[in-house]
C-alpha cells in the first residue's frame, strides 16, 4: 500500500482544512519525517490516516454523537480522507 494524499479538517490541533500531497516532487525520494514542536499536529496526521482507513484511532477511545475527542474544539464538523494505491489500483478512503 502507498499513500498518495491525506486530507483532513478540524482534527485536534489542526483546525481548518489541510491536504498533504505525497505525490509532490518534494517527496520524490519517498522519505518522510513528521517533525515539529509539541502540539504542532504530528500525531494528528497519523490519526487522520487511521481514521480514513479504519474509522477510529488507537489512541482515542471512542467517537460517537455524544463524545468526539478528536475533533478540534469549537468546530462542528471534521473529516479524514486518504488516497491510497494497492496493487496499482487507487482508492479513496474516508
Amino acid at each position: 500500500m502507498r499513500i498518495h494524499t491525506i486530507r483532513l479538517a478540524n482534527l485536534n490541533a489542526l483546525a481548518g482544512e489541510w491536504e498533504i500531497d505525497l505525490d509532490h516532487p518534494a517527496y520524490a525520494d519517498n522519505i518522510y519525517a513528521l517533525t515539529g514542536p509539541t502540539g504542532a499536529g504530528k500525531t494528528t496526521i497519523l490519526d487522520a490516516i487511521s481514521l480514513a482507513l479504519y474509522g477510529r484511532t488507537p489512541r482515542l477511545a471512542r467517537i460517537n454523537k455524544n463524545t468526539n475527542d478528536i475533533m478540534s474544539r469549537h468546530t462542528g464538523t471534521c473529516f479524514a480522507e486518504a488516497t491510497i494505491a494497492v496493487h496499482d489500483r487507487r482508492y479513496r478512503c474516508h
Side-chain angles (χ1 to χ4, degrees), residues 23 59 81 87:
D23 289 332
R59 73 183 186 110
E81 177 183 282
H87 302 295

Side-chain angles (χ1 to χ4, degrees), residues 20-77:
I20 302 167
D21 180 5
L22 297 174
D23 289 332
H24 188 278
Y27 303 112
D29 292 337
N30 292 321
I31 297 174
Y32 318 108
L34 297 174
T35 65
T38 300
K42 300 176 299 291
T43 304
T44 301
I45 293 169
L46 299 176
D47 286 341
I49 295 167
S50 180
L51 277 171
L53 295 175
Y54 306 108
R56 59 189 169 133
T57 66
R59 73 183 186 110
L60 298 172
R62 119 172 68 139
I63 298 170
N64 60 41
K65 285 185 177 182
N66 299 323
T67 180
N68 187 339
D69 293 333
I70 196 163
M71 186 166 32
S72 301
R73 292 178 186 240
H74 310 295
T75 61
T77 62

Side-chain angles (χ1 to χ4, degrees), residues 6 18 48 65:
I6 304 162
W18 298 81
K65 285 185 177 182

